[in-house]
mmCIF file of all heavy atoms in Angstrom:
data_model
loop_
_atom_site.group_PDB
_atom_site.id
_atom_site.type_symbol
_atom_site.label_atom_id
_atom_site.label_comp_id
_atom_site.label_asym_id
_atom_site.label_seq_id
_atom_site.Cartn_x
_atom_site.Cartn_y
_atom_site.Cartn_z
ATOM 1 N N GLY A 111 16.230 11.649 -20.431
ATOM 2 C CA GLY A 111 16.838 12.672 -21.260
ATOM 3 C C GLY A 111 18.107 12.171 -21.921
ATOM 4 O O GLY A 111 18.462 10.995 -21.812
ATOM 5 N N PRO A 112 18.781 13.050 -22.684
ATOM 6 C CA PRO A 112 18.455 14.467 -22.848
ATOM 7 C C PRO A 112 17.217 14.681 -23.716
ATOM 8 O O PRO A 112 16.949 13.893 -24.616
ATOM 9 C CB PRO A 112 19.700 15.035 -23.516
ATOM 10 C CG PRO A 112 20.262 13.885 -24.293
ATOM 11 C CD PRO A 112 19.977 12.664 -23.454
ATOM 12 N N TRP A 113 16.491 15.757 -23.412
ATOM 13 C CA TRP A 113 15.317 16.144 -24.174
ATOM 14 C C TRP A 113 15.683 17.232 -25.180
ATOM 15 O O TRP A 113 16.564 18.067 -24.926
ATOM 16 C CB TRP A 113 14.234 16.671 -23.239
ATOM 17 C CG TRP A 113 13.563 15.567 -22.469
ATOM 18 C CD1 TRP A 113 14.018 14.957 -21.336
ATOM 19 C CD2 TRP A 113 12.316 14.942 -22.793
ATOM 20 N NE1 TRP A 113 13.136 13.983 -20.926
ATOM 21 C CE2 TRP A 113 12.079 13.954 -21.800
ATOM 22 C CE3 TRP A 113 11.379 15.127 -23.811
ATOM 23 C CZ2 TRP A 113 10.933 13.161 -21.805
ATOM 24 C CZ3 TRP A 113 10.243 14.331 -23.802
ATOM 25 C CH2 TRP A 113 10.030 13.353 -22.817
ATOM 26 N N SER A 114 15.010 17.203 -26.295
ATOM 27 C CA SER A 114 15.204 18.260 -27.278
ATOM 28 C C SER A 114 14.728 19.590 -26.708
ATOM 29 O O SER A 114 13.932 19.639 -25.766
ATOM 30 C CB SER A 114 14.419 17.951 -28.560
ATOM 31 O OG SER A 114 13.023 18.025 -28.319
ATOM 32 N N ASP A 115 15.214 20.681 -27.279
ATOM 33 C CA ASP A 115 14.656 21.986 -26.934
ATOM 34 C C ASP A 115 13.207 22.053 -27.415
ATOM 35 O O ASP A 115 12.815 21.338 -28.345
ATOM 36 C CB ASP A 115 15.462 23.107 -27.603
ATOM 37 C CG ASP A 115 16.779 23.371 -26.893
ATOM 38 O OD1 ASP A 115 16.939 22.930 -25.741
ATOM 39 O OD2 ASP A 115 17.652 24.024 -27.499
ATOM 40 N N PRO A 116 12.401 22.895 -26.789
ATOM 41 C CA PRO A 116 11.015 23.037 -27.252
ATOM 42 C C PRO A 116 10.958 23.485 -28.711
ATOM 43 O O PRO A 116 11.701 24.382 -29.129
ATOM 44 C CB PRO A 116 10.435 24.115 -26.329
ATOM 45 C CG PRO A 116 11.318 24.113 -25.125
ATOM 46 C CD PRO A 116 12.675 23.746 -25.619
ATOM 47 N N ARG A 117 10.081 22.854 -29.468
ATOM 48 C CA ARG A 117 9.786 23.295 -30.830
ATOM 49 C C ARG A 117 8.392 23.924 -30.797
ATOM 50 O O ARG A 117 7.417 23.274 -30.439
ATOM 51 C CB ARG A 117 9.831 22.121 -31.810
ATOM 52 C CG ARG A 117 11.187 21.428 -31.851
ATOM 53 C CD ARG A 117 11.145 20.187 -32.730
ATOM 54 N NE ARG A 117 11.008 20.525 -34.141
ATOM 55 C CZ ARG A 117 10.855 19.602 -35.110
ATOM 56 N NH1 ARG A 117 10.767 18.311 -34.781
ATOM 57 N NH2 ARG A 117 10.761 19.970 -36.370
ATOM 58 N N TRP A 118 8.313 25.195 -31.153
ATOM 59 C CA TRP A 118 7.077 25.949 -31.012
ATOM 60 C C TRP A 118 6.151 25.660 -32.173
ATOM 61 O O TRP A 118 6.565 25.592 -33.328
ATOM 62 C CB TRP A 118 7.396 27.433 -30.892
ATOM 63 C CG TRP A 118 8.345 27.680 -29.751
ATOM 64 C CD1 TRP A 118 9.687 27.868 -29.835
ATOM 65 C CD2 TRP A 118 8.022 27.663 -28.363
ATOM 66 N NE1 TRP A 118 10.228 27.989 -28.585
ATOM 67 C CE2 TRP A 118 9.236 27.873 -27.654
ATOM 68 C CE3 TRP A 118 6.842 27.511 -27.647
ATOM 69 C CZ2 TRP A 118 9.293 27.930 -26.270
ATOM 70 C CZ3 TRP A 118 6.898 27.575 -26.258
ATOM 71 C CH2 TRP A 118 8.109 27.779 -25.588
ATOM 72 N N ILE A 119 4.876 25.484 -31.853
ATOM 73 C CA ILE A 119 3.897 25.028 -32.838
ATOM 74 C C ILE A 119 3.114 26.232 -33.358
ATOM 75 O O ILE A 119 2.354 26.864 -32.608
ATOM 76 C CB ILE A 119 2.928 23.988 -32.226
ATOM 77 C CG1 ILE A 119 3.719 22.911 -31.467
ATOM 78 C CG2 ILE A 119 2.066 23.381 -33.312
ATOM 79 C CD1 ILE A 119 4.767 22.201 -32.282
ATOM 80 N N ASP A 120 3.310 26.528 -34.617
ATOM 81 C CA ASP A 120 2.606 27.637 -35.240
ATOM 82 C C ASP A 120 1.113 27.321 -35.328
ATOM 83 O O ASP A 120 0.717 26.275 -35.844
ATOM 84 C CB ASP A 120 3.167 27.894 -36.640
ATOM 85 C CG ASP A 120 2.599 29.144 -37.279
ATOM 86 O OD1 ASP A 120 2.295 30.095 -36.536
ATOM 87 O OD2 ASP A 120 2.455 29.163 -38.508
ATOM 88 N N GLY A 121 0.296 28.212 -34.792
ATOM 89 C CA GLY A 121 -1.147 28.035 -34.865
ATOM 90 C C GLY A 121 -1.758 27.291 -33.701
ATOM 91 O O GLY A 121 -2.977 27.084 -33.681
ATOM 92 N N ALA A 122 -0.939 26.894 -32.713
ATOM 93 C CA ALA A 122 -1.468 26.148 -31.560
ATOM 94 C C ALA A 122 -1.647 27.099 -30.384
ATOM 95 O O ALA A 122 -0.879 27.082 -29.424
ATOM 96 C CB ALA A 122 -0.539 24.999 -31.188
ATOM 97 N N GLY A 123 -2.658 27.931 -30.436
ATOM 98 C CA GLY A 123 -2.928 28.835 -29.339
ATOM 99 C C GLY A 123 -3.594 28.121 -28.179
ATOM 100 O O GLY A 123 -3.915 26.941 -28.245
ATOM 101 N N GLY A 124 -3.820 28.859 -27.104
ATOM 102 C CA GLY A 124 -4.471 28.278 -25.942
ATOM 103 C C GLY A 124 -3.500 27.566 -25.026
ATOM 104 O O GLY A 124 -2.293 27.795 -25.050
ATOM 105 N N ILE A 125 -4.040 26.661 -24.220
ATOM 106 C CA ILE A 125 -3.258 25.977 -23.184
ATOM 107 C C ILE A 125 -3.583 24.482 -23.181
ATOM 108 O O ILE A 125 -4.442 24.012 -23.913
ATOM 109 C CB ILE A 125 -3.548 26.561 -21.788
ATOM 110 C CG1 ILE A 125 -5.046 26.441 -21.458
ATOM 111 C CG2 ILE A 125 -3.087 28.015 -21.677
ATOM 112 C CD1 ILE A 125 -5.400 26.800 -20.027
ATOM 113 N N ASP A 126 -2.842 23.759 -22.334
ATOM 114 C CA ASP A 126 -3.126 22.354 -21.998
ATOM 115 C C ASP A 126 -3.207 21.435 -23.213
ATOM 116 O O ASP A 126 -4.184 20.706 -23.409
ATOM 117 C CB ASP A 126 -4.448 22.252 -21.221
ATOM 118 C CG ASP A 126 -4.409 22.941 -19.873
ATOM 119 O OD1 ASP A 126 -3.388 23.555 -19.552
ATOM 120 O OD2 ASP A 126 -5.419 22.867 -19.143
#
Side-chain angles (χ1 to χ4, degrees):
W113 286 81
S114 68
D115 283 344
R117 300 174 70 185
W118 304 100
I119 312 304
D120 187 32
I125 58 171
D126 296 3

